[in-house]
């Protein structure tokens, strides 16, 4: 019996939260004790979307603009994030990781990747290849969705 798109959707909806929860736990274990999960998620977003606006980061993290502004100020004070005026619109501020912020994020991401690799090690080579192939099929579907705009006004 062929697999329907509905069965596929249910499978994704079932396993994705479990994967994300495991990754969140692991990422928390990789971060510094005085570094909150929202701060880490902010670095992760800026790593993927350098030059984002405060609005774009706030929307992704799920915080209000005032709360996100306070969080970003803390990251700026710790030299993890840099704020720069947009050359095209001086009213906008663009956020990017500093070298220190990038190093901190990379360290945590590499630790989590090593954890995932160890978790996947018991799978057969064929099972791991199936996962890689499935991800290759899914990636363009989700990449093609309207992305969170990094050009939003602050």
């Amino acid at each position: 019996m062929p697999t329907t798109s509905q069965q596929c959707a249910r499978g994704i909806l079932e396993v994705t939260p479990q994967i994300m929860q495991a990754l969140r736990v692991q990422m928390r274990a990789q971060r510094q004790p005085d570094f909150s999960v929202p701060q880490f998620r902010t670095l992760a977003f800026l790593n993927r979307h350098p030059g984002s606006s405060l609005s774009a980061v706030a929307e992704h993290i799920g915080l209000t603009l005032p709360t996100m502004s306070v969080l970003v100020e803390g990251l700026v004070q710790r030299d993890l994030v840099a704020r720069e005026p947009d050359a095209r619109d001086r009213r906008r501020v663009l956020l990017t990781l500093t070298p220190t912020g990038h190093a901190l994020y990379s360290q945590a991401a590499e630790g989590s990747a090593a954890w995932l690799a160890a978790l996947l090690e018991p799978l057969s080579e064929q099972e791991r290849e199936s996962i890689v192939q499935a991800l290759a099929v899914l990636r363009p579907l989700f990449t093609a969705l309207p992305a969170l705009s990094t050009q939003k006004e602050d």
Side-chain angles (χ1 to χ4, degrees):
M1 177 175 181
T3 303
T4 68
S5 60
Q6 195 61 244
Q7 290 169 313
C8 206
R10 283 189 189 111
I12 291 170
L13 287 172
E14 182 181 311
V15 76
T16 300
Q18 296 167 339
I19 293 169
M20 293 308 300
Q21 178 60 28
L23 286 171
R24 275 192 294 274
V25 168
Q26 182 57 31
M27 292 301 255
R28 282 186 196 112
Q30 296 294 322
R31 66 179 171 82
Q32 297 175 353
D34 62 337
F35 196 58
S36 72
V37 172
Q39 288 173 325
F40 178 80
R41 290 186 64 220
T42 300
L43 294 189
F45 182 82
L46 292 174
N47 185 65
R48 289 187 312 274
H49 306 284
S52 291
S53 69
L54 185 66
S55 296
V57 182
E59 186 173 329
H60 176 77
I61 303 299
L63 297 176
T64 64
L65 280 174
T67 302
M68 191 76 234
S69 183
V70 170
L71 187 147
V72 166
E73 178 60 29
L75 295 173
V76 168
Q77 293 298 318
R78 292 174 69 177
D79 190 37
L80 301 174
V81 170
R83 285 188 290 227
E84 298 179 22
D86 186 337
R88 296 174 296 175
D89 183 351
R90 304 289 278 166
R91 297 170 297 172
R92 286 178 33 90
V93 174
L94 306 179
L95 304 172
T96 57
L97 293 182
T98 64
T100 304
H102 190 272
L104 182 66
Y105 170 75
S106 294
Q107 177 185 8
E110 288 170 19
S112 293
W115 172 81
L116 264 176
L119 185 67
L120 297 170
E121 187 62 35
L123 299 178
S124 70
E125 185 176 339
Q126 184 178 13
E127 288 169 322
R128 289 191 301 268
E129 182 59 31
S130 293
I131 292 169
V132 169
Q133 289 175 358
L135 293 171
V137 169
L138 289 173
R139 185 173 290 113
L141 295 175
F142 290 93
T143 304
L145 292 175
L148 183 61
S149 174
T150 58
Q151 302 303 312
K152 285 188 165 187
E153 292 300 315
D154 288 329

